[in-house]
Amino acid sequence: MFSSFFSCSSYSRKKNTTTNREQNLETKKVEVDPQVLYFNGDPFGSGNKTKLSLWSDNNNIYFQNNSRGKEVKEEEEEVVRGVEIIIMKEVFEVIVAMKNAYVSLQEAHSPWDPEKLRAADLAVVAELRKLGGLRERYLRRRCYGSGDKLLMELVAPYEAAVVELRREVKARDMEVVQLKEKLKSIVSATNNGKKLRMSRRKVYCSPVAVLESPAQELFENTMNLVREASQSFTSILLSHMRAAQWDIAAAVRSIEAATTTATMISTSSVIKTQHANAKYALESYISRKIFLGFDHESFYMDGSTSSLLNPEKYRQDCFNQYNDLKNMDALELLDILPMCNFGKFCSNKYLAIVHPKMEASLFGDLEQRRYVVEGSHPRSQFYKEFLKLGKAVWLLHLLAFSVDPAPSLFEASRGAQFHPQYMESVVKFPGGRVPSDQVVGFPMSPGFKLGNGSIIKAEVYPVSKN
């Protein structure tokens, strides 16, 4: 009897406990750790072993039946996998962009290009920030499965590369600082030299007097440098053309057709003469290109009018620049100041003289032209030879604008009668005299009339009028 009573009491208590548990599950929110709970019996009376999971809403945890929880978990895993794929795709895109930016950063160091270096540096930093943002996005997903481990393994080498890139950027920044200090010291020394020369001129005589007396001698010497440099560059260009198996006669005819402006002389006779003296035709072409714009203070590279607004100061500045540049190595100067006026002049004239098809034929590629277009100056022997010519013409230009009145440039026209007072023949005749029947086949280099009336003769290639 007592056993029956205890059994009934026990059953009643168990039943009440079960009822209370059902009510609690339906009405109460329980704060527990987010994990799966197992029960030996079904709290709802099924008698089977049931797996319950938890789900949350507004930071509160609820019990949920296993079948529905499994579906939600699969949906969440699918979303996570999709997000991981998107992040991985973006990671590789950023890495490719960062690699390209780093290549540009390396190219900007040789030859040194501050503007390109600054742009490449900003691009690398931007890509690094993007990569850091992707890393943060990924970590916020709070995924700790095998997919996350694989992604971490893939990203780890690139994170190490980022650290190395930051270290190298820091080293490059230090190098930039050192180069700036070096440039500052060079500019300071140059300015001190200018002040010393100007002070000496103020003590002994006026600047104009210093420039007027040696004007003719300086012009003649500098013009001789121009002609020597022109002959040297023409020779090296002609040797490259022959090495590339050019048809020199056809090239001469092309030059002749481009320079034909007069009808007083038979074209066929000039071509015949040029065929035997191709270097003169080629030198004439180079001279015409490089002296184009000589009458303007900046070769028409800009609209500067300093020579008109403050002529005395401008003349003095030109003569100071002439003295500074004449003893300097052109390539060393352009390594420090590639975009100075002299550097722009050399770039423009090189692109005008050496056509892209010509360069591709002579050298097999357009590498030198790419350097020049980007504002750099190649170190090839061919370009160094061109810089000698560019420097000589630039010195002559500075000298012309440093005297008052400025020399006037003149050039013999094709077909004009040879005039020994203003012209000089590049062809040697018996007895040293040019026959009276000779006319100008084509001009070689211009001449100048100085302010004191003296003449620096123009060079011409004479041919027989008949």
Side-chain angles (χ1 to χ4, degrees):
M1 178 179 179
F2 288 104
S3 61
S4 300
F5 173 77
F6 286 121
S7 299
C8 291
S9 299
S10 175
Y11 174 77
S12 177
R13 192 180 299 110
K14 182 182 295 185
K15 183 175 181 180
N16 291 336
T17 302
T18 304
T19 303
N20 291 336
R21 183 182 299 170
E22 291 174 355
Q23 293 174 353
N24 290 336
L25 290 173
E26 292 174 355
T27 62
K28 292 186 178 180
K29 299 176 181 180
V30 184
E31 295 183 357
V32 296
D33 293 334
Q35 57 184 354
V36 178
L37 305 178
Y38 294 88
F39 293 85
N40 292 327
D42 185 356
F44 302 104
S46 65
N48 297 326
K49 183 177 180 180
T50 305
K51 180 180 178 182
L52 296 181
S53 60
L54 301 176
W55 61 283
S56 62
D57 182 21
N58 296 329
N59 298 323
N60 297 310
I61 310 300
Y62 298 87
F63 286 94
Q64 181 175 333
N65 188 273
N66 181 57
S67 59
R68 173 60 183 164
K70 185 175 181 181
E71 293 176 0
V72 172
K73 184 176 181 181
E74 290 176 351
E75 291 177 358
E76 291 177 349
E77 290 177 350
E78 186 67 26
V79 172
V80 169
R81 282 194 295 270
V83 172
E84 289 179 352
I85 292 173
I86 294 174
I87 293 177
M88 283 290 292
K89 182 179 178 181
E90 293 180 3
V91 166
F92 284 112
E93 290 176 351
V94 171
I95 289 169
V96 171
M98 185 171 64
K99 180 181 178 182
N100 294 335
Y102 182 64
V103 170
S104 299
L105 184 66
Q106 289 179 317
E107 291 177 349
H109 286 84
S110 179
W112 184 261
D113 189 339
E115 294 299 328
K116 187 178 178 182
L117 178 68
R118 190 177 297 107
D121 182 60
L122 291 176
V124 170
V125 172
E127 298 305 328
L128 289 175
R129 288 176 177 172
K130 288 182 184 177
L131 190 61
L134 290 173
R135 182 176 181 275
E136 292 300 322
R137 279 179 55 192
Y138 180 77
L139 293 178
R140 282 198 298 270
R141 301 303 305 172
R142 294 176 24 171
C143 299
Y144 300 99
S146 60
D148 175 70
K149 183 177 180 181
L150 176 60
L151 184 60
M152 283 297 194
E153 291 176 353
L154 291 172
V155 173
Y158 297 105
E159 290 183 337
V162 168
V163 174
E164 183 64 27
L165 283 173
R166 287 175 177 169
R167 187 182 299 113
E168 186 167 348
V169 168
K170 187 176 180 180
R172 295 297 185 184
D173 288 340
M174 294 178 63
E175 184 179 351
V176 169
V177 172
Q178 293 174 356
L179 288 172
K180 285 182 177 179
E181 291 296 327
K182 183 179 179 181
L183 176 60
K184 185 177 179 180
S185 62
I186 292 174
V187 171
S188 177
T190 302
N191 290 336
N192 290 336
K194 288 181 179 179
K195 291 177 181 178
L196 180 60
R197 285 190 297 272
M198 289 178 68
S199 64
R200 287 177 177 174
R201 281 195 290 271
K202 288 178 180 178
V203 171
Y204 294 106
C205 54
S206 67
V208 176
V210 171
L211 299 179
E212 283 181 351
S213 58
Q216 182 173 355
E217 183 181 355
L218 280 176
F219 252 87
E220 289 177 351
N221 293 338
T222 309
M223 193 63 199
N224 288 335
L225 290 177
V226 171
R227 289 168 178 171
E228 290 174 4
S230 179
Q231 292 171 7
S232 178
F233 178 67
T234 301
S235 296
I236 193 172
L237 178 58
L238 193 60
S239 66
H240 279 291
M241 292 169 66
R242 285 171 176 158
Q245 298 182 350
W246 275 42
D247 185 343
I248 304 300
V252 169
R253 286 193 295 271
S254 176
I255 295 172
E256 168 65 22
T259 57
T260 298
T261 57
T263 59
M264 296 175 62
I265 185 170
S266 171
T267 303
S268 60
S269 65
V270 176
I271 293 176
K272 182 178 180 181
T273 308
Q274 287 179 340
H275 177 70
N277 299 278
K279 63 178 181 179
Y280 293 126
L282 194 57
E283 187 177 344
S284 173
Y285 161 78
I286 293 170
S287 177
R288 187 177 67 257
K289 288 288 187 180
I290 205 162
F291 273 101
L292 185 64
F294 189 92
D295 57 323
H296 188 265
E297 63 183 65
S298 67
F299 279 87
Y300 295 100
M301 292 186 294
D302 53 42
S304 176
T305 57
S306 301
S307 60
L308 300 177
L309 298 177
N310 195 343
E312 184 175 352
K313 182 179 182 301
Y314 186 77
R315 287 195 297 269
Q316 188 64 63
D317 290 342
C318 285
F319 192 64
N320 289 338
Q321 292 177 38
Y322 169 83
N323 286 326
D324 292 337
L325 179 60
K326 67 179 180 180
N327 295 322
M328 292 186 66
D329 182 85
L331 195 56
E332 289 182 3
L333 172 63
L334 295 180
D335 281 344
I336 301 173
L337 300 171
M339 296 305 293
C340 63
N341 287 338
F342 171 57
K344 293 178 182 177
F345 166 77
C346 292
S347 298
N348 292 344
K349 293 303 181 181
Y350 178 85
L351 297 177
I353 292 173
V354 184
H355 191 274
K357 291 183 178 180
M358 177 188 290
E359 182 170 324
S361 174
L362 298 181
F363 306 109
D365 55 42
L366 296 175
E367 189 67 17
Q368 288 189 131
R369 192 175 190 84
R370 182 180 67 82
Y371 266 81
V372 175
V373 170
E374 293 175 354
S376 303
H377 299 275
R379 289 184 168 272
S380 67
Q381 186 60 39
F382 182 78
Y383 193 79
K384 287 180 181 178
E385 205 68 37
F386 168 77
L387 281 184
K388 292 179 182 178
L389 174 59
K391 177 184 174 181
V393 174
W394 188 255
L395 286 174
L396 189 69
H397 181 261
L398 290 173
L399 201 56
F401 279 85
S402 64
V403 295
D404 185 28
S408 56
L409 178 146
F410 64 90
E411 186 179 70
S413 58
R414 292 186 63 246
Q417 185 69 35
F418 181 84
H419 200 300
Q421 183 180 350
Y422 298 99
M423 305 176 193
E424 182 178 356
S425 173
V426 295
V427 180
K428 302 303 179 184
F429 290 91
R433 296 190 55 160
V434 179
S436 59
D437 64 339
Q438 296 293 303
V439 295
V440 178
F442 50 86
M444 294 295 299
S445 64
F448 291 91
K449 183 177 181 180
L450 306 185
N452 60 1
S454 57
I455 299 294
I456 296 178
K457 298 180 181 180
E459 283 190 332
V460 298
Y461 185 96
V463 294
S464 175
K465 189 175 182 179
N466 300 321

